[in-house]
């Protein structure tokens, strides 16, 4: 990643650095260095960015330049900063520590294991009847060759109607059916990003999106989300303006993994800023149907788009079933045609039968989605209750939708916890999986997609091993976690 963080931006990120707990006896420069290390460890300050010049940061923080000089010196000594005379100072981690953030990520078939690595629900009961109804429809298609690169028309219409119902008038020509949202992302990247192109993503973000970007050899920069409030408008808009990426990939509805919902004003500002600097936006709406607690959704990001800058992607996996492998892209009609041309070199088309199942599920969307929201709210509350009871030191922001909690742990133990959890039959996706740099060891994504009793049991097991970790050989914590 390349880029620069300005004095005022770093000052904003540092917040109350001088009043951090436990600093009573440490001098200002050490507290400042500690706060910068904290931002790096949490992934809020990316690796490889240039820090402001000492004088600029001193002005922004209203402290003496000598304090900043001493803090930078300490950061260099601890391996968190690399400086070159006349060129500036860049963030890094000691020993070039990196943790794999991409790789194989499979649900387990081991029924004994409580799998909290995958954030997806089992199929709804309506799936079987939809599948039966789909086989009845199939004869209508059997006289043709069955290749529909943009999808069968009835599914494209159903998806377009759902966008229109959300207040975003959409025609079937603007929809392309894909084999899942991940496939949609990959196709859009193939169309819109030359190898080595620049992409801005949230940090933390969805690991398989990072894998898709790595597959395109994208140069990725990050916008660090605050654990409690999510996007920081000035910083996000500033990053867009400064780095002028070719693409930005954002998950505005119940972001995976943090669960945050982007407000309407920021949606509008992001689209305007993206247009001003020539950035195209890929908006992943995987969780848009899954709001809870009566939370009203802001308008779709594409509502603010006047220049075909926004490509929306979404799919059936989260509200319905991942095993269907049905997703889609919403773009301009010419973009859809170009995507179809790209697709011919990949997989030609999605299965007709699965698309027909999706049509039947979407016809029953209101009832199915209403059940899912109730189910998810019950499971979320069971998970929150178990955490409050058994792991009260962990901090969570209650998500108003989606399927995941982003827990802030009581120490940088996420990978160590995931390793130990396997041994007690719980599979976890540790924090570093959701970032680029091996940071975010103080965070853990916890999906609430398993039945409530399983979630409570998983938290029981985690609580037991959490306290054992403190007694274990600390060396184990420092090994980088590689999950393949
Ligand atoms: C944000 C996000 N995008 C895409 C996907 C992949 O979805 P699909 O199963 O439709 O490919 C997921 C699944 O977890 C996700 O969370």
């Amino acid at each position: 990643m390349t880029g620069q963080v300005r004095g005022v931006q770093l000052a904003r990120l540092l917040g109350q650095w001088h009043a951090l707990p436990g600093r009573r006896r440490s001098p200002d420069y050490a507290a400042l260095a500690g706060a910068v290390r904290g931002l790096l460890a949490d992934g809020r300050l990316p690796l490889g960015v240039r820090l402001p010049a000492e004088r600029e940061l001193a002005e922004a923080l209203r402290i003496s330049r000598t304090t900043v000089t001493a803090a930078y010196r300490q950061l260099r000594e601890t391996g968190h900063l690399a400086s070159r005379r006349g060129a500036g100072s860049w963030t890094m981690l000691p020993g070039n520590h990196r943790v794999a953030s991409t790789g194989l990520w499979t649900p387990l078939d081991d029924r004994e294991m409580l799998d909290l690595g995958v954030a997806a629900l089992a199929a709804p009961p309506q799936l079987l009847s939809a599948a039966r109804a789909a086989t009845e429809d199939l004869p209508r298609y059997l006289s043709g060759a069955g290749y529909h690169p943009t999808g069968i028309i009835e599914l494209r219409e159903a998806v377009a109607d759902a966008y229109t119902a959300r207040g975003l008038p959409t025609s079937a020509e603007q929809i392309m059916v894909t084999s899942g949202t991940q496939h949609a992302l990959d196709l859009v990247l193939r169309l819109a990003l030359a190898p080595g192109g620049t992409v801005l993503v949230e940090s933390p973000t969805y690991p398989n999106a990072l894998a898709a970007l790595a597959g395109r050899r994208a140069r990725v920069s990050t916008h660090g989300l605050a654990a409690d409030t999510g996007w920081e408008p000035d910083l996000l808009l500033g990053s867009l303006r400064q780095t002028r990426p070719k693409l930005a990939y954002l998950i505005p509805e119940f972001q995976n993994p943090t669960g945050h919902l982007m407000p309407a004003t920021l949606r509008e500002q992001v689209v305007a800023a993206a247009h001003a600097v020539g950035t195209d936006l890929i908006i992943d709406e995987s969780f848009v149907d899954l709001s809870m607690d009566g939370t009203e959704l802001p308008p779709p990001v594409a509502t603010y788009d006047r220049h075909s800058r926004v490509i929306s992607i979404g799919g059936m996996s989260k509200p319905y079933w991942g095993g269907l492998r049905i997703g889609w892209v919403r773009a301009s009609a010419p973009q859809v045609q170009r995507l179809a041309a790209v697709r011919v070199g990949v997989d030609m088309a999605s299965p007709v039968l699965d698309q027909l199942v999706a049509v039947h599920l979407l016809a029953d969307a209101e009832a199915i989605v209403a059940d899912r929201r109730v189910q998810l709210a019950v499971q979320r509350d069971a998970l929150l209750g178990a955490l409050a009871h058994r792991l009260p030191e962990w901090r969570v922001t209650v998500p108003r939708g989606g399927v995941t909690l982003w827990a802030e742990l009581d120490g940088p133990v996420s990978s160590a916890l995931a390793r130990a959890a396997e041994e007690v039959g719980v599979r976890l996706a540790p924090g570093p999986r959701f970032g680029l740099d091996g940071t975010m060891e103080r965070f853990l994504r916890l999906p609430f997609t398993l039945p409530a009793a399983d979630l409570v049991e998983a938290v029981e097991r985690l609580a037991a091993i959490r306290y054992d970790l403190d007694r274990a050989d600390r060396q184990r914590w420092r090994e980088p976690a590689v999950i393949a």
Side-chain angles (χ1 to χ4, degrees), residues 199-435:
V199 183
L200 178 73
V201 302
E202 293 138 344
S203 174
T205 188
Y206 175 54
N208 295 339
L210 293 176
L213 290 168
R216 297 300 300 158
R217 283 185 273 136
R219 283 186 291 142
V220 180
S221 60
T222 53
H223 167 64
L225 301 183
D228 46 355
T229 52
W231 302 268
E232 304 205 38
D234 292 352
L235 295 177
L236 175 57
L237 300 173
S239 294
L240 278 172
R241 291 185 190 118
Q242 270 177 31
T243 54
R244 299 173 162 260
K246 175 73 185 74
L247 294 173
Y249 167 78
L250 302 172
I251 313 170
E253 284 94 15
F254 314 118
Q255 202 259 358
N256 185 359
T258 62
H260 289 300
L261 178 62
M262 187 186 280
T265 39
L266 184 54
R267 292 172 186 235
E268 188 167 7
Q269 289 167 330
V270 165
V271 175
H275 178 60
V277 298
T279 297
D280 290 324
L281 297 173
I282 306 178
I283 300 299
D284 187 330
E285 301 183 312
S286 285
F287 302 97
V288 72
D289 289 327
L290 299 179
S291 72
M292 288 183 259
D293 311 331
T295 304
E296 291 271 329
L297 284 184
V301 172
T303 312
Y304 303 104
D305 183 24
R306 313 261 174 280
H307 305 94
S308 299
R309 283 274 170 217
V310 177
I311 296 185
S312 309
I313 60 176
M316 305 291 288
S317 295
K318 301 300 158 171
Y320 302 91
W321 192 42
L324 258 186
R325 308 309 309 133
I326 294 291
W328 49 78
V329 179
R330 179 197 183 275
S332 69
Q335 282 169 323
V336 165
Q337 288 309 316
R338 289 200 290 277
L339 278 168
V342 170
R343 181 187 198 159
V344 167
V346 181
D347 70 337
M348 320 262 272
S350 295
V352 171
L353 186 56
D354 302 27
Q355 294 184 67
L356 287 169
V357 179
V359 169
H360 283 281
L361 288 171
L362 288 178
D364 205 6
E366 216 172 301
I368 299 176
V369 169
D371 288 352
R372 296 303 233 187
R373 291 176 177 176
V374 172
Q375 178 188 356
L376 283 166
V378 168
Q379 291 171 186
R380 175 199 62 183
D381 294 345
L383 177 59
L384 286 169
L387 288 171
H389 180 51
R390 300 290 283 123
L391 287 159
E393 305 82 12
W394 291 10
R395 292 209 316 222
V396 288
T397 305
V398 179
R400 303 282 169 214
V403 301
T404 55
L405 291 181
W406 184 237
E408 186 173 349
L409 311 182
D410 53 327
V413 296
S414 201
S415 297
L417 191 71
R419 279 197 297 276
E422 289 274 339
E423 284 161 34
V424 294
V426 180
R427 188 173 197 215
L428 297 176
R433 292 300 308 240
F434 299 85

